Amino acid sequence: MAKQMTMGVIVGNRGFFPSHLATSGRLEMIAALEAAGIKPIVLTPEETAHGAVETYEDAKKCAALFQKHAKEIDGIIITLPNFGEERGLADAIRLSNLQVPVLIQATPDHAGKMTIAFRRDSFCGKMSISNNLKQYGIPYSLTRLHTEAPDSNEFKADLEWFSGVCRIVRGLKNVRFGAIGARPTAFNTVRYSEKLLERSGITVETLDLSEVMGRIGRMNDNDDAAQAKLAAIKKYIPVGQTPELALMKMAKLGAVIDQWMTASELTVSAVQCWTSIEEFLGIVPCTVMSMMSESLIPSACEVDVLGTLSMYALTLASETPSALLDWNNNYGDNPDKAVCFHCSNLPKHFFNEVKMDFQQIIAGTVGKDNTYGTLDGTVKAGAMTFARFSTDDFTGQIAGYVGQGAFTNDPLHTFGGAGVVEIPNMQHLLRYICENGFEHHVAANFSSTAAPVYEAATKYLGWKMHQHQ
């Protein structure tokens, strides 16, 4: 279900410009937001002249209104129906102290309405408020065109983009991740710094696999939580030849994880798989993890916490499920195509058709009967956004890359969850990944949301990002 977005709106006005433009501009912005399903929080004409912010007193009133709705407000929109009083606008944001993304919109002049009665000068005023926000140390975003009318298609698209930015910033603020089990010994590539994540407001809670196994062992087959999860699994995908005993083990695993995440107030998870769960529980956790990701609470395997972070950013941007994949194979001799694969816990949102099966790779080590629960199918075609974050301990910062391409309909005969991707200039991307030491895991999402991910990460989270073009 899409999140109800709420925007604080600050209407600019400068007295020697036509004030009726502030009155009409305020109403135009309210109408544009409501048409997009966004709730506006804005001063009324009874509280300040024209419901705008011009003086320091106006700024204090606006800040008080925003503070009253602080838990609701996802972002702030400055609308300039005329030049606007830059000091009052900047003061309102500083005094509100909301620490949310800010978008500056300026309404265009019309060439036939440049007399003193209708001249806006918002074109110029946008530079002045940008200058002031820079002086105040307040990060801000800009519409793609310098001036855009609130009822324009351009501004509608920018609202969608800015909403994604706001969801990412709010979603990653004080978020709690669950790490279940230790990093597999063979996977140095998923090492990360909890301290750098904590500095960005991301907390990691851990749970040892022995505790998971112990809780599963104490859970009866007729436990309400286990039975509810078993029914959910059977409803989720066709279980094929999976034995009932394996399905019950999956149900208990899912119930234990759900209970721990609820009790610990966790949002997303990363789970050890290879190969403790197979050896000591006798299943793979793929279906349980797929169901979480499908419900917009991403779960990554191999305790790849930064993989989960990458998935979650894309999920927040698009409000659709994300998957974690390997950059896995070349596809023939096309330099812009590759095979993305996992073995697999992809959400069913990713597949044309999918069924439960055994995990062919691990089966060679632990036996087929211990590897039921994987999802097998071909990834469907569609727009793709990819992203990867990593903690760089040597520079003390979080870094990442993001870009767009597409899953294709190219034929692929393999197992697990796999799809062919086509990305412009892919060889440059692969070189960038290797030269900068990024992991082989990448988050993917059926969307075109690289822009809000890049904006949120660089401008509001302070992370070092590369946007592939």
Side-chain angles (χ1 to χ4, degrees), residues 120 141 206 214 290 320 322 375:
R120 297 180 183 275
S141 298
T206 61
S290 171
T320 61
S322 298
L375 278 76

Side-chain angles (χ1 to χ4, degrees), residues 440-466:
H440 66 284
H441 289 169
V442 63
N445 188 277
F446 279 97
S447 65
S448 299
T449 52
V453 172
Y454 182 82
E455 182 84 357
T458 56
K459 193 158 288 182
Y460 298 104
L461 300 174
W463 301 346
K464 180 184 176 183
M465 290 294 294
H466 168 73

Side-chain angles (χ1 to χ4, degrees), residues 406-423:
F407 287 104
T408 74
N409 278 319
D410 289 301
L412 191 62
H413 304 289
T414 184
F415 56 91
V420 177
V421 298
E422 183 170 19
I423 298 169

Side-chain angles (χ1 to χ4, degrees), residues 181-355:
R183 169 185 60 80
T185 300
F187 282 83
N188 277 358
T189 193
V190 297
R191 286 173 169 172
Y192 69 98
S193 169
E194 286 190 42
K195 293 180 180 179
L196 290 180
L197 290 179
E198 197 72 70
R199 186 185 296 174
S200 286
I202 300 168
T203 297
V204 179
E205 292 285 318
T206 61
L207 181 67
D208 194 85
L209 269 186
S210 64
E211 297 181 66
V212 175
M213 300 298 185
R215 295 177 191 183
I216 290 172
R218 292 194 298 268
M219 184 176 286
N220 295 321
D221 287 0
N222 60 358
D223 183 276
D224 288 346
Q227 286 296 319
K229 183 62 72 172
L230 179 62
I233 289 171
K234 291 181 176 180
K235 183 179 179 181
Y236 184 62
I237 58 169
V239 298
Q241 302 300 311
T242 305
E244 283 294 325
L245 177 61
L247 291 171
M248 178 54 70
K249 290 178 180 179
M250 290 177 220
K252 290 182 178 181
L253 173 64
V256 166
I257 291 175
D258 288 348
Q259 290 168 353
W260 175 65
M261 291 183 67
T262 299
S264 302
E265 299 184 37
L266 306 175
T267 302
V268 293
S269 65
V271 182
Q272 179 184 349
C273 168
W274 207 288
T275 56
S276 290
I277 289 180
E278 292 79 12
E279 290 187 61
F280 299 104
L281 185 58
I283 57 167
V284 292
C286 301
T287 295
V288 171
M289 298 171 70
S290 171
M291 292 169 69
M292 289 191 282
S293 296
E294 182 75 13
S295 299
L296 307 188
I297 47 175
S299 187
C301 52
E302 292 148 13
V303 202
D304 188 355
V305 170
L306 272 294
T308 306
L309 174 62
S310 308
M311 294 168 69
Y312 192 41
L314 292 176
T315 292
L316 290 167
S318 69
E319 300 185 289
T320 61
S322 298
L324 192 69
L325 294 159
D326 288 354
W327 294 116
N328 211 75
N329 313 89
N330 61 288
Y331 188 76
D333 57 3
N334 189 325
D336 287 339
K337 288 186 178 181
V339 177
C340 282
F341 167 88
H342 241 182
C343 45
S344 82
N345 61 5
L346 278 62
K348 67 178 183 180
H349 175 78
F350 269 65
F351 295 102
N352 287 308
E353 295 181 0
V354 62
K355 68 179 187 300

